[in-house]
Amino acid sequence: MKTIELSINQQVHRIEVDPEMPLLWAIRDIVGLKGTKFGCGQGLCGACTVQLDGQPIRSCQTPVGSITAKQKITTIEGASTRLEKIIQAAWIEHQVPQCGYCQSGQIMSATALLKSNPKPSETDIENYMSGNICRCGTYSRIKSAIQTAAKNAAKNTSKSTKS
Amino acid sequence: MSLESRRSFIKKAGATGLTFWLGLSYVKGANAPVISTAKSLTPFIKIDANGITIFNPNPEMGQGSYQAVASMIAEELEVSLDQITIKNTSGEKEFGAGQWAGGSSTVREGYLTYRKIGASAKEMLVKAASQTWGVSPESCRAKEGKVLHAATNRTLKYEELAEAASLLEIPKEPKLKDPKDFKMLGKSVKRPDIPLKVTGKAEFGIDADVPGMLYSSVERCPVIGGTLKTFDATAAMKVPGVVKVVSAERVIGKYSSTGVAVIAKTYWAAIQGRKALKIDWDTKGFETFNSSDYEQKLRALSKEEGILDKQKGSVDLPVAQVVESFYETPMVAHHPLEPMNCTVHVKGKKVEIWTSTQVPISVTGPGMMGSLPGMMGIDPEDITLHAGFIGGGFGRRLYFDYIVEAINVAKQVDSPVKVVWSREDSTTQGPFRPMTFSKMIGGLSEKNQVVSFQHKVISPGFMDSAMPNWDKTKLDSMMTEGISAQEYDIPNMKNSFVFADYHVPLAAWRSVTSSTLAFAHECFIDELAHKAEKDPLDFRIDLQSTNTDTKRVLKKLREITNWGKPLPAGKARGVAQWDFFAGLSAQAVEVSLAKNGAVSVDKVYVVIDLGTVVNPDNVKAQVEGAVLMALSAAIHPAITLKNGVVEQKNFDTTPVTRMSEAPEVIVEIITEGAKIKGVGEPGLPPFAPALGNAIFALTKKRLRKLPLEIDFV
């Protein structure tokens, strides 16, 4: 057992855990944020995706001890940037979720995609998002929502002076 | 609830504010221990000082019942969705036997029932207002959660009328709205669960957080059919955090097996403890079982006469040309993304459960899928269920084996315990969609008319899996689902079933046996069309001698696909339809050949026949999802056993459709028919045969086995 400091959604959590414990379980069961989901435990489905310093990671494959207190973790509960809100609004506009279980991970991946590639082509979206499984089959809506979000993010940037 | 008991109920409820529960007296057997496919009407509307609550008894698993049920009630009640709170029920007695989700039944069976509930409440509220004002009910109007009297410009909110309304008799035949006045029904209303699902706020069963909760991971016999002999937990108990190691029985249908549960302070510790277990399994001879041997057995059994499903005319009459084919489909897993899980707290006799289930009513009492309390010897009064949003059901969560097992774990500790299955557990332990093999024989006349048709299903049986004493000489009609329901007018017909013994737990998988039988049936229809040298779509239309629903759907498909216009070179399309208990759809799949010779699935046209539509956008979403699930099962590796053990473990070896594989899906909804049909499943069965038929059109290769043995891009 080790004391580990985690910065999640701009809040510092000091937890006592086995450093080998995947970040996923630390987030869900120790810190108590349930929006990040367990799907496969092998990094194959993307349901557990969170952002570490802006980069998408599979939290089920990341030992909690490998993360330093300085690194910033963002989970779906902390998705509050302008871009993330635009993405969530696009998800609602296109009525993306069915069961909804994978959607936290989908939104985390989509955010990372649009941050690194603000105008993704259809192929870019497919390549980037194919690591996230949706068993309900909402892919075409995810694709449309990402395209809408990309458009809205670009449209509003020129008008917006505040970040 | 009788009028008297409603009065006393209201008195009791009075302490917490005015409460109006609409308990409908025309609800037959709402609390009676009967299995009923009809919706039982119970208090689905609550109006009190806090506002209006509508209860959804059909668990929300992505199919949209949370919005659909609320809309059907709210439309007639004259309230908008943003004026109400929607709550999913949890198997409470007062909500009756209809608390389950499956068989595409929410709208199909509940459309009039739910509307009547809303309409009855509205009539009572209007009457209460009219009595308060001393005016006629006809001069009052309900709108947006209020009753208005236009002549005197008076209004009363539903909240203010609740108490008076609750004392009135419930109208037996409330007047329903004219569909032309609908504000929500038939319109693509935004689903109120979606904001919860894009912010991580929706609570699924796995998200249960009970103070003092422990976690458990269970090692089950890797050989299906085996069970526990002995175990040594010495090493497991040394893992920091491990609290206790116990054995726990899981029961699914006629099958029972005992596993070893490691209970720990964290799930991670439970997993580590599980790895340290030493277990001696009794594999009961099943360790030599191979799927490939079983397939041989099914092929051999196809020679048997079998049990008759339906016969018409005589298939023994001489014909000009006989066509024979044999089709094979495999077992597949459901793979809902939320792994099986259940949290249980046993306190003396009391059992409190948090989980995701399609059958809340069977968890708390007798219901559609049996009775957990009955099976476990628990008094239904002692069970409390908290049913969360479901992270995918697809039929898997119609079975409560994972709840039984979790109760058996929790019985052995004082604290609440959350049992979570790994993805590998879910993949390897079943239950699975059964494989079906089909022997098809068709007869053509000299004029290329289809004069006879035979479909013999060879498979294990759902009923045999479900019941210990199932009579195997009887027809298991779930295994011949749909094959005698197709509206082809063929004079001589014979459909039959050959039962094959099996030892693997089976489960309904979205669209049940239609998901495999349609493949054989509709590919074979295509073979007959080819032999008769006819266009496969026109051939199907011509086989409808009257104006059937199928004919209407096929004609619409012809129209939206521009069927008469040939596709560009290198492209081809196939068609199929399927009519079964859940509903009807027809599909055309467009494919092309990639440079490397692989097949690309480009576009899927779907016509779905509904009778009425509650939310067109949600219907489209359901059909898109059904097609992608069908695609998964049609092209990806199936579930197979070797030496008694499932060979696939996780999404690397049992892949599901990913975004890059998803074709464009175009959905056309038909509502002209008189019969209300289901939404969630009918989009699935025609896909695999339409794809197989498209591949034949493209390559002249007739593929008769799922998954299709050809490369896809």
Side-chain angles (χ1 to χ4, degrees), chain B residues 2-78:
Chain B
S2 72
L3 195 59
E4 254 332 290
S5 65
R6 261 191 299 131
R7 282 200 181 101
S8 71
F9 181 82
I10 287 154
K11 241 184 206 171
K12 272 184 255 158
T16 53
L18 297 178
T19 306
F20 167 38
W21 289 80
L22 183 66
L24 294 181
S25 56
Y26 58 82
V27 182
K28 233 183 2 184
N31 306 325
V34 288
I35 293 172
S36 164
T37 54
K39 296 290 173 217
S40 296
L41 308 185
T42 46
F44 292 133
I45 302 166
K46 192 175 112 181
I47 303 174
D48 63 17
N50 299 322
I52 303 165
T53 306
I54 291 183
F55 292 88
N56 167 35
N58 302 120
E60 170 61 58
M61 52 184 173
Q63 85 281 39
S65 63
Y66 189 74
Q67 186 260 334
V69 171
S71 292
M72 289 184 277
I73 295 176
E75 178 71 64
E76 296 286 349
L77 184 60
E78 295 294 356

Side-chain angles (χ1 to χ4, degrees), chain A residues 118-153:
Chain A
K119 285 184 194 168
S121 68
E122 207 177 323
T123 314
D124 291 343
I125 297 173
E126 282 178 8
N127 289 342
Y128 200 92
M129 297 299 293
S130 276
N132 285 77
I133 286 173
C134 171
R135 184 56 164 159
C136 298
T138 64
Y139 299 125
S140 71
R141 286 161 189 258
I142 291 173
K143 221 189 275 178
S144 306
I146 290 173
Q147 285 163 337
T148 296
K151 217 161 49 183
N152 289 344

Side-chain angles (χ1 to χ4, degrees), chain A residues 18 20-22 25 28-30 32 34-35 37-42 44-45 47 76-77 88 91-104 107 125-126 129-143 146, chain B residues 61-62 189-191 194-195 197-200 202 204 206-209 215 266-268 333-335 337-339 390-392 394 418 420-424 509 617 620-622 624-625 628-629 632 650-652 656-660 662:
Chain A
D18 174 356
E20 290 302 309
M21 177 191 278
W25 300 110
R28 282 183 56 83
D29 296 342
I30 314 291
K34 308 285 192 188
K37 301 303 189 204
F38 167 49
C40 71
Q42 297 289 339
L44 298 166
C45 78
I76 189 73
E77 291 89 347
Q88 285 169 323
W91 245 246
I92 293 172
E93 184 187 332
H94 290 276
Q95 294 283 288
V96 173
Q98 289 184 27
C99 89
Y101 193 79
C102 72
Q103 298 296 343
S104 299
I107 289 171
I125 297 173
E126 282 178 8
M129 297 299 293
S130 276
N132 285 77
I133 286 173
C134 171
R135 184 56 164 159
C136 298
T138 64
Y139 299 125
S140 71
R141 286 161 189 258
I142 291 173
K143 221 189 275 178
I146 290 173
Chain B
M61 52 184 173
V189 174
K190 295 260 188 285
R191 287 172 46 196
I194 284 184
K197 290 174 176 175
V198 302
T199 51
F204 297 86
I206 202 170
D207 300 331
D209 200 346
Y215 298 83
T266 65
Y267 185 56
W268 179 244
H334 300 74
H335 293 317
L337 208 53
E338 180 191 5
I390 303 176
F394 315 118
K418 181 188 280 190
V420 179
W421 293 41
S422 68
R423 175 58 51 191
E424 290 80 4
W509 186 91
D617 185 57
K620 284 184 180 164
Q622 284 301 299
E624 289 160 7
L628 264 53
M629 195 158 175
S632 251
N650 208 317
F651 292 125
D652 48 352
V656 297
T657 309
R658 291 180 184 268
M659 185 184 276
S660 51

Side-chain angles (χ1 to χ4, degrees), chain B residues 354-611:
Chain B
W354 294 257
T355 194
S356 299
T357 172
Q358 289 177 243
V359 289
I361 192 60
S362 293
V363 175
T364 60
M368 183 63 186
M369 294 297 287
S371 167
L372 178 144
M375 192 177 109
M376 298 191 79
I378 303 168
D379 184 341
E381 297 290 328
D382 289 331
I383 293 192
T384 308
L385 170 67
H386 307 273
F389 279 112
I390 303 176
F394 315 118
R396 173 62 183 94
R397 287 186 163 97
L398 287 169
Y399 304 82
F400 48 70
D401 55 296
Y402 55 97
I403 305 176
V404 172
E405 182 188 68
I407 294 172
N408 284 330
V409 172
K411 269 180 187 170
Q412 304 179 62
V413 278
D414 293 329
S415 312
V417 188
K418 181 188 280 190
V419 180
V420 179
W421 293 41
S422 68
R423 175 58 51 191
E424 290 80 4
D425 294 338
S426 290
T427 304
T428 56
Q429 293 292 324
F432 303 107
R433 177 188 81 177
M435 65 286 281
T436 59
F437 283 23
S438 291
K439 186 174 169 61
M440 313 296 305
I441 304 172
L444 294 174
S445 70
E446 274 167 19
K447 288 179 185 164
N448 278 338
Q449 298 289 321
V450 187
V451 287
S452 66
F453 190 94
Q454 298 177 65
H455 188 162
K456 185 194 286 178
V457 180
I458 307 104
S459 74
F462 278 121
M463 294 308 288
D464 175 62
S465 177
M467 298 166 75
N469 301 314
W470 173 254
D471 178 358
K472 296 171 188 189
T473 63
K474 267 172 65 177
L475 175 71
D476 182 344
S477 60
M478 280 181 83
M479 301 316 301
T480 54
E481 177 187 292
I483 63 171
S484 298
Q486 305 313 307
E487 292 180 302
Y488 296 126
D489 192 5
I490 300 168
N492 304 294
M493 202 184 75
K494 185 177 168 188
N495 294 325
S496 52
F497 170 61
V498 181
F499 171 76
D501 248 319
Y502 203 32
H503 71 288
V504 178
L506 303 177
W509 186 91
R510 192 173 187 178
S511 82
V512 203
T513 322
S514 290
S515 73
T516 56
L517 296 182
F519 174 66
H521 207 92
E522 280 291 301
C523 284
F524 189 64
I525 289 281
D526 226 64
E527 291 197 59
L528 294 179
H530 183 67
K531 277 272 169 348
E533 295 173 1
K534 283 180 186 157
D535 173 86
L537 179 51
D538 292 336
F539 182 75
R540 285 173 171 84
I541 293 172
D542 294 342
L543 276 172
Q544 316 287 313
S545 64
T546 53
N547 282 326
T548 60
D549 290 0
T550 304
K551 191 173 191 173
R552 177 172 65 232
V553 168
L554 290 171
K555 281 181 144 178
K556 180 56 85 176
L557 188 68
R558 200 175 200 295
E559 180 194 317
I560 66 165
T561 53
N562 268 319
W563 193 262
K565 198 179 154 203
L567 292 176
K571 279 180 178 286
R573 59 196 166 189
V575 63
Q577 62 80 37
W578 196 249
D579 187 8
F580 67 123
F581 76 91
L584 165 65
S585 92
Q587 303 187 9
V589 175
E590 242 178 63
V591 294
S592 58
L593 213 51
K595 278 187 189 134
N596 60 359
V599 172
S600 166
V601 184
D602 300 328
K603 208 184 248 188
V604 184
Y605 294 89
V606 186
V607 179
I608 183 164
D609 191 50
L610 292 181

